[in-house]
Amino acid sequence: MTMVGRESESAAVLGLTSGVLILTGEPGAGKSTLLGLAADRHPGRVLRMTGSESEANLTFAGLHQLLRPVLAETARLPARQRSALLGAMGLGDDFGGGGSGQAEPGDAHLGEAEPDGAHLRETDPDGADTRRGGPPDRLLLGVALLTLLSDLARQSPVLVVADDLQWIDAGSLELLAFAARRIGDEPLAVLAGARAGEGARGGATAPFSGFPLLTLDPLDATAAGLLLDRQPYPPTGSRRLRILDQAAGNPLALIELARANGACGADSPGSADGELLPPTDRLMRVFAADLEALPEATRQALLLVAADDRAVAGRVEALAPAEAAGLLRITGGGRDGWRARFRHPLIRSAIYHSAPLAARRQAHRDLATLLGAEPDRRAWHLAAAAEGPDEEIAAALEESAARARERGGYTAATTALERAAELSPGRRDRARRLVAAAGAAVSTGQPHWVRRLAAQAAALTDDPELSAEASLRVGQVLTLSTEHDTAMSLLLRAAEDSKLRRVALSSAAVAGFYAGDEAYRAAVRARAHDDPWTLAVTDPTAHRSQRVAAIPALVERADGDPARLISLGAMAWLLDETALAVRIFDDALHRWRLGGSLPIGLGCSAGWSYLDHGRWAQARTAAVNTNSAGAGLPHLDAAARSLEAAALALTGRTDEARSAGSAALSLVDPHRSRAVAVRARWALGMAAVADGDHVGAYEQFRLLFTADGDPVHYACSYPGVAELAAAAVRTGHGAEAAAIVERTAERLADDPSPRMRILIHRARALLEPSRAEPHFTAALAEPAGGQWPFERAQILLDHAEWLRRRHRITEARHQLNTALESFRRLGAPSWIDRTQAELRAAGVESAPADPDALTSLSPQQQHIIRLAAQGLSNREIGERLFLSPRTVGSHLYRSFPKLGVTARSQLRDLIEASGRS
């Protein structure tokens, strides 16, 4: 079993059978866990040494620790080597000799070894020490250790595990490095771990410089969220966000903070008090071990900058010892002032919580006094110093929350409002601020947080307006979950309030779209009256032209509000106005990023419009950014995975596409989250098409429609109708597919979109070859067809195949060249291969790739290309270069268009032609 978020690193250590690998990373990054994993899985003998600060100055202490289990094996060494090796560890020459005078390993006296650095001396030609009674010669010792390890490796594979290199004595490190540099192809491996900054590039561990390094970076948001979810008491709501922020991707910190959170009660009332979570004793030992050695003035200054990292002015000199100790770094000094950058957020937390509560409150009061011109910072410091309810501070926090929300700081706004509620003397003000906090929390995508805030508000008041708004906020966040029934119930209840009706019904329309349930659609439409957005979302095929005509005025009325623009972009996409949707999304996302971060859950509709419009890399980025990092929103995660699967399938990464598509389906009930399920099946179908698996493709596309031929989802099923037809003609299901195509055409007959007209023409052309030409002509003549470049290129390819079979070669060549240009621009390798095969059949050979294009790649990309040309898989390349298979695939994806190749099989010829092999 691999570690969460360390899959490629686990593969690297488990795959090490010979040679050397050094793991580096900050404390808590997982170095020791990976070393332990490798040791547990190793099939042969494992020898260990672990550095200790208390033994760092005891020369050869590490060597003794390493060899103690195999001291008896030294009997096989040449006499001088054995004598030197045992002598270095303080053991007599008769150790292991079989007589009554044999020493026990535990009797070794390590305190009288030579001082570090006394290793240069005269030796005789055989390597023996010429200074009788002096310390052993390091060369002889190195040869002895190498001989011993090699002898052991001949018996069975040997893994040497050395942890905390920075604390292993220099003598032992030198010997191990000497042996490590001389490992041949024998089954002998050295796996070591060192702290980043103190590792194999110099300092105490200089002997290990130059060996392969594998740096354990902080976990990404997805892996961090998954690791939290695997803890006995997974944190939720505000505490979850604060733990993710404070741990900064450190696995040990995530585990320890989650444990502490479970012990104190997750998301208990009052959890908004204080920005920094208290670290556990274990984290204090790791991240604040050096605090006591600092001067008192430095510790006082550290408390202030821990409370506010911009409180550096006038304290630079006092902070110098802490900076020298590596606890923080002072930056800035210009117009924006000085700032303290802690090496890790947990150092800041450890400093803060090592001070008594009274001292922390006084620090906040002192800082608030200095910040009269900065109301947001002042409000927070006053709140941290408050000992009871205070309306003035609560009002200041509420104002601060409004400013944070304008900047896109939804978590900060929610936390400020929650703290303002705690400090509110009156029950109504407390309830009002809690409901406002729930509204801000919706954009964080944390349903547990929203629910808790709403429940606290409901317990304080029976005001119908506040109760309705609380229902609205919970319903809104649940639209991103799989709880569609609950979301619809709450949103329809909130819609009974006239002030909330429009926004509640809009949210209910989204929940109904995700579910794809006919009863939900009917319930929303019955209340929607003439709202164009809600009507378009609940039925994008009815009165489509009328809805499209309304979009420009709606965009104008939005007045640049990114939230409203995002909604209108989704409306345009649903109405198959893809180019317009992309323009609106581009504008909205740009405006949102200027003001702050994008609320969670808004990326998928933009991503699908980008995918349809041929901007596949942007679509995949939207999918990655949409992932909720385990926030308790499986529907949102499934939506992101289905979008990612589609982008992967189209770009030829079919194994990854199948993995992502299957993951999407596993996260939801396909019968209750129809939009996601249909999109995931479309992606799986396209992966099958890319692989030439027509049976698998037909099976997936057939699931977009019911047994009777009706769409499983009223909007998402229809775009798959042409792919269904294409797979059907290759698998003998033409009659069944034709019935579905005609049923679809009949349903959309009143006002079909240009896209659906094109797709239906393509489907009919494929299903009825004898009457295909008018359909191909009509599809390609559609003036709006350029909005969907991939689908247009597919029609060109289908038409060209039809023309070539009728010996109309000249016409076919023109269509094929146009299609090939589009597929190359899009980066669709499977369709490029198919088009080139048709061109060859039409008597045209594709131009070879330019060998000099290699020089346009980065050195790492060139290395990856050379390894791929040798036939190595993405995983094998990743293991050699210590990259994830996904990263390798990404480099190949970006490199292939630059090289003018579409398949790995072309790389060998390209490399040979370049003369760089």
Side-chain angles (χ1 to χ4, degrees):
M1 180 178 179
T2 58
M3 298 164 58
V4 175
R6 299 287 189 219
E7 289 77 14
S8 62
E9 293 88 345
S10 297
V13 300
L14 292 174
L16 184 68
T17 58
S18 182
V20 185
L21 179 62
I22 313 297
L23 306 182
T24 68
E26 66 183 5
K31 301 182 295 297
S32 297
T33 305
L34 281 169
L35 296 180
L37 175 68
D40 292 342
R41 297 281 192 86
H42 189 69
R45 190 192 295 268
V46 177
L47 301 176
R48 299 173 183 258
M49 69 165 77
T50 300
S52 169
E53 287 183 278
S54 63
E55 296 186 358
N57 293 319
L58 298 179
T59 306
F60 300 129
L63 182 68
H64 179 267
Q65 189 184 154
L66 179 73
L67 299 184
R68 182 172 178 175
V70 293
L71 284 173
E73 304 286 344
T74 61
R76 302 178 183 178
L77 293 175
R80 284 196 302 271
Q81 292 182 18
R82 179 174 182 273
S83 177
L85 199 59
L86 294 178
M89 294 184 288
L91 301 172
D93 285 344
D94 60 345
F95 180 85
S100 59
Q102 178 172 330
E104 293 296 326
D107 293 337
H109 182 61
L110 300 176
E112 298 178 357
E114 62 163 306
D116 289 347
H119 59 278
L120 299 175
R121 61 188 59 84
E122 296 179 3
T123 58
D124 67 17
D126 294 325
D129 191 351
T130 61
R131 291 167 48 193
R132 184 175 181 80
D137 177 76
R138 298 296 177 96
L139 178 60
L140 181 60
L141 285 174
V143 172
L145 177 61
L146 178 62
T147 303
L148 176 60
L149 293 176
S150 297
D151 286 347
L152 293 172
R154 278 194 288 271
Q155 301 172 31
S156 67
V158 173
L159 175 66
V160 174
V161 176
D163 201 1
D164 284 327
L165 285 184
Q166 71 279 357
W167 290 329
I168 293 176
D169 64 276
S172 298
L173 277 185
E174 286 181 8
L175 295 188
L176 184 59
F178 176 92
R181 292 185 191 282
R182 289 157 179 80
I183 294 174
D185 57 358
E186 55 203 313
L188 171 61
V190 176
L191 181 63
R195 287 190 177 181
E198 304 169 270
R201 286 180 291 276
T205 55
F208 273 78
S209 62
F211 285 116
L213 287 178
L214 177 56
T215 301
L216 304 187
D217 294 319
L219 300 181
D220 61 26
T222 301
L226 182 58
L227 182 57
L228 284 184
D229 287 336
R230 292 192 179 182
Q231 302 313 303
Y233 301 99
T236 60
S238 59
R239 281 292 180 97
R240 181 187 190 88
L241 295 177
R242 289 163 66 194
I243 288 173
L244 288 169
D245 179 64
Q246 199 164 316
N250 184 289
L252 175 64
L254 288 162
I255 293 169
E256 287 292 305
L257 289 174
R259 183 177 67 81
N261 182 66
C264 71
D267 282 341
S268 56
S271 63
D273 187 10
E275 177 187 354
L276 299 174
L277 296 170
T280 62
D281 290 342
R282 185 179 181 190
L283 291 177
M284 288 288 284
R285 289 194 299 271
V286 172
F287 289 97
D290 301 326
L291 285 181
E292 290 300 321
L294 296 173
E296 177 62 24
T298 300
R299 293 203 299 273
Q300 291 178 0
L302 279 172
L303 175 57
L304 288 170
V305 295
D308 189 326
D309 60 8
R310 286 180 283 180
V312 176
R315 302 178 180 88
V316 174
E317 295 300 324
L319 291 169
E323 189 169 20
L327 296 175
L328 50 71
R329 185 165 54 91
I330 305 299
T331 62
R335 184 181 63 181
D336 296 330
W338 298 101
R339 193 157 192 159
R341 300 288 186 186
F342 289 88
R343 191 179 77 232
H344 191 279
L346 281 172
I347 294 176
R348 179 182 179 186
S349 179
I351 291 167
Y352 182 80
H353 287 284
S354 66
L357 176 60
R360 299 200 301 267
R361 282 180 170 161
Q362 185 59 52
H364 286 294
R365 281 192 288 270
D366 293 343
L367 290 167
T369 302
L370 299 173
L371 294 170
E374 298 187 56
D376 291 337
R377 292 172 65 197
R378 181 175 183 274
W380 271 112
H381 286 301
L382 288 173
E387 299 183 27
D390 188 313
E391 176 59 28
E392 183 179 348
I393 298 176
L397 281 173
E398 189 170 13
E399 293 173 2
S400 177
R403 289 187 289 270
R405 194 164 184 173
E406 289 175 0
R407 297 189 300 269
Y410 305 104
T411 299
T414 306
T415 306
L417 286 164
E418 187 175 9
R419 181 61 175 144
E422 294 170 1
L423 293 172
S424 301
R427 289 172 62 89
R428 177 170 174 75
D429 281 335
R430 199 178 312 158
R432 177 180 60 79
R433 285 165 174 153
L434 284 168
V435 170
V442 169
S443 295
T444 71
Q446 294 286 327
H448 297 289
W449 199 3
V450 178
R451 276 177 153 156
R452 178 172 61 75
L453 293 167
Q456 289 176 4
L460 290 169
T461 181
D462 55 4
D463 184 311
E465 291 185 5
L466 287 177
S467 296
E469 187 175 353
S471 295
L472 169 68
R473 300 314 179 190
V474 176
Q476 284 179 318
V477 77
L478 291 183
T479 61
L480 302 175
S481 75
T482 55
E483 298 182 54
H484 302 304
D485 292 338
T486 305
M488 289 295 295
S489 175
L490 290 169
L491 292 168
L492 293 178
R493 185 192 310 165
E496 296 173 5
D497 185 305
S498 59
K499 295 179 182 178
L500 301 176
R501 178 177 291 115
R502 183 181 172 281
V503 66
L505 287 176
S506 295
S507 298
V510 173
F513 174 83
Y514 290 150
D517 186 275
E518 290 300 316
Y520 291 167
R521 293 175 65 203
V524 175
R525 287 183 66 83
R527 296 167 173 81
H529 303 301
D530 59 351
D531 179 61
W533 192 89
T534 303
L535 292 171
V537 172
T538 52
D539 191 353
T541 63
H543 308 289
R544 194 199 73 88
S545 297
Q546 179 183 339
R547 309 284 180 240
V548 170
I551 293 177
L554 293 172
V555 170
E556 184 73 21
R557 210 180 307 162
D559 195 28
D561 179 355
R564 295 172 67 183
L565 289 174
I566 287 283
S567 296
L568 293 173
M571 177 179 174
W573 168 66
L574 284 170
L575 294 171
D576 278 338
E577 292 295 313
T578 305
L580 175 60
V582 166
R583 289 197 299 271
I584 295 173
F585 278 129
D586 282 347
D587 183 28
L589 296 175
H590 174 69
R591 291 175 184 271
W592 222 311
R593 292 186 184 105
L594 287 177
S597 60
L598 185 70
I600 195 167
L602 293 187
C604 267
S605 55
W608 281 109
S609 70
Y610 291 139
L611 188 93
D612 292 342
H613 204 47
R615 288 160 59 169
W616 295 346
Q618 203 166 349
R620 187 153 181 244
T621 298
V624 172
N625 292 340
T626 297
N627 193 293
S628 72
L633 297 173
H635 176 90
L636 179 60
D637 289 337
R641 297 308 299 273
S642 65
L643 174 57
E644 183 181 21
L648 289 167
L650 293 172
T651 53
R653 297 164 64 176
T654 53
D655 287 343
E656 295 173 77
R658 277 187 287 274
S659 176
S662 299
L665 290 172
S666 72
L667 289 168
V668 297
D669 180 347
H671 302 292
R672 300 184 65 80
S673 294
R674 293 180 178 88
V676 168
V678 164
R679 285 297 187 177
R681 294 199 186 284
W682 185 89
L684 291 170
M686 294 308 295
V689 172
D691 284 342
D693 177 11
H694 303 301
V695 172
Y698 183 78
E699 290 173 352
Q700 293 297 337
F701 293 128
R702 183 63 183 85
L703 290 172
L704 306 187
F705 299 87
T706 67
D708 296 331
D710 293 327
V712 169
H713 188 275
Y714 64 88
C716 296
S717 290
Y718 289 135
V721 70
E723 294 299 341
L724 172 69
V729 297
R730 290 173 170 83
T731 56
H733 294 90
E736 184 179 25
I740 295 174
V741 170
E742 295 311 313
R743 194 177 184 95
T744 298
E746 183 180 346
R747 280 176 169 267
L748 302 178
D750 290 343
D751 193 4
S753 70
R755 183 186 190 187
M756 288 311 306
R757 287 199 297 266
I758 291 170
L759 293 179
I760 289 171
H761 277 306
R762 180 191 176 207
R764 285 170 168 166
L766 293 171
L767 291 165
E768 301 178 86
S770 62
R771 292 157 45 180
E773 188 149 32
H775 292 300
F776 280 130
T777 301
L780 292 171
E782 178 62 56
Q787 295 182 69
W788 307 282
F790 176 69
E791 291 171 0
R792 183 174 180 82
Q794 284 182 296
I795 296 169
L796 287 166
L797 175 57
D798 291 337
H799 190 202
E801 289 177 341
W802 184 87
L803 289 169
R804 185 183 61 77
R805 290 187 179 94
R806 282 149 185 80
H807 308 293
R808 295 161 62 178
I809 303 300
T810 302
E811 296 171 81
R813 287 173 180 171
H814 174 72
Q815 303 282 55
L816 288 169
N817 283 320
T818 305
L820 182 61
E821 181 182 345
S822 294
F823 288 136
R824 279 179 168 165
R825 185 172 63 253
L826 292 165
S830 298
W831 288 268
I832 291 172
D833 288 347
R834 183 176 151 196
T835 308
Q836 288 178 325
E838 279 294 317
L839 277 168
R840 287 192 294 272
V844 178
E845 287 296 330
S846 299
D850 179 12
D852 290 336
L854 269 174
T855 60
S856 68
L857 306 182
S858 70
Q860 186 179 57
Q861 288 174 332
Q862 292 182 39
H863 197 175
I864 290 171
I865 288 295
R866 291 190 188 97
L867 293 175
Q870 295 171 22
L872 273 68
S873 68
N874 288 4
R875 181 170 297 280
E876 290 169 332
I877 296 171
E879 289 176 0
R880 288 200 181 191
L881 303 182
F882 309 119
L883 300 170
S884 70
R886 179 172 295 184
T887 299
V888 173
S890 178
H891 281 300
L892 290 172
Y893 167 67
R894 291 195 296 268
S895 301
F896 274 28
K898 296 178 183 178
L899 299 175
V901 301
T902 59
R904 284 172 123 91
S905 58
Q906 299 170 269
L907 293 177
R908 184 183 298 276
D909 292 340
L910 178 70
I911 296 295
E912 290 176 355
S914 72
R916 295 184 177 90
S917 57

